[in-house]
Amino acid sequence: MDAFTDVPEDFELPAGSVKKGEKYFKKYCAQCHSIYPDNRITRGGSLQLGPTMFNIFGRASGLEEIQNKQATDRVDNVLWLDGPLMNYMKNPRVMAQGRIQMNFRGIPDFQTRVDIVHYLRTLDWSNEEVANPPPKPASFAPARWMEAMNQEKKKTPPPPPQEDE
C-alpha cells in the first residue's frame, strides 16, 4: 500500500529505545490500551476501550476481549509482528480498511513507532512487573476506604498495657 512505503514486506525492526517507547506509549496509546494481562487501566482519565497490549507481539488480531462492546468492526487477519505494528501505528484506518472505532490519526514519525514497538515487545510473561501486577483495588469507594483503614491498623502498634497503681 502506498501509505506504508517506509515499512517494506521484509521489514526488520531497527534499533530503538524501550524507555522512549514507554514514554511514547503513554502519550499515544495508554488512554485506551492497558499493558496488563487482565486489561486493567491504572491511569486516571483512561478508558479501557481497546484490547490489552500485553503479549501483543505475535498475537493474531481480534483475539483479545475489548470493553467497547459496540465495536463490531475490528482488524482481521493480521499477525502482530514488527511490520504490521509499524503500519497500524502509522495509519490505522488504512491498515484496517476503515473499520476501526479509534479516535487516533496515527503516528507519522518512523523512529517514534520503532521505539513503541521495542516497548511492546517487553510486554510479555518474562516481564515480572507487568505480568504479575498487584491485586486490583476495590472499585467501590467504601470498600477501598475500609481496606485502607485495615492496612493502617496493621501498621499502628497497639498501645502499651496500663499498669495498676
Side-chain angles (χ1 to χ4, degrees), residues 2-19:
D2 291 339
F4 306 128
T5 56
D6 58 350
V7 179
E9 288 288 324
D10 58 347
F11 179 74
E12 288 189 32
L13 190 66
S17 167
V18 171
K19 189 171 184 162

Side-chain angles (χ1 to χ4, degrees), residues 35-38 40 54-55 122-134:
I35 61 169
Y36 298 106
D38 59 0
R40 73 176 63 183
F54 181 80
N55 226 12
T122 70
L123 303 178
D124 62 17
W125 293 107
S126 67
N127 185 336
E128 280 294 317
E129 186 180 329
V130 174
N132 298 307

Side-chain angles (χ1 to χ4, degrees), residues 7-107:
V7 179
E9 288 288 324
D10 58 347
F11 179 74
E12 288 189 32
L13 190 66
S17 167
V18 171
K19 189 171 184 162
K20 284 182 180 178
E22 181 178 12
K23 182 182 98 173
Y24 294 136
F25 180 88
K26 287 176 182 176
K27 179 179 179 180
Y28 294 110
C29 315
Q31 56 270 33
C32 294
H33 293 281
S34 173
I35 61 169
Y36 298 106
D38 59 0
N39 206 15
R40 73 176 63 183
I41 293 290
T42 57
R43 296 168 37 128
S46 297
L47 303 169
Q48 197 175 356
L49 295 176
T52 181
M53 294 293 103
F54 181 80
N55 226 12
I56 183 75
F57 191 79
R59 185 172 73 209
S61 60
L63 294 181
E64 284 297 316
E65 190 67 27
I66 59 172
Q67 292 298 103
N68 185 4
K69 301 302 183 195
Q70 284 112 13
T72 56
D73 293 328
R74 296 176 70 182
V75 178
D76 291 325
N77 304 316
V78 174
L79 185 60
W80 294 118
L81 299 173
D82 298 327
L85 286 167
M86 290 286 291
N87 288 337
Y88 191 78
M89 283 187 286
K90 182 176 183 180
N91 195 331
R93 281 179 176 67
V94 170
M95 178 83 178
Q97 294 99 35
R99 301 181 330 236
I100 61 167
Q101 300 287 323
M102 291 191 309
N103 185 18
F104 175 69
R105 292 179 20 187
I107 304 168

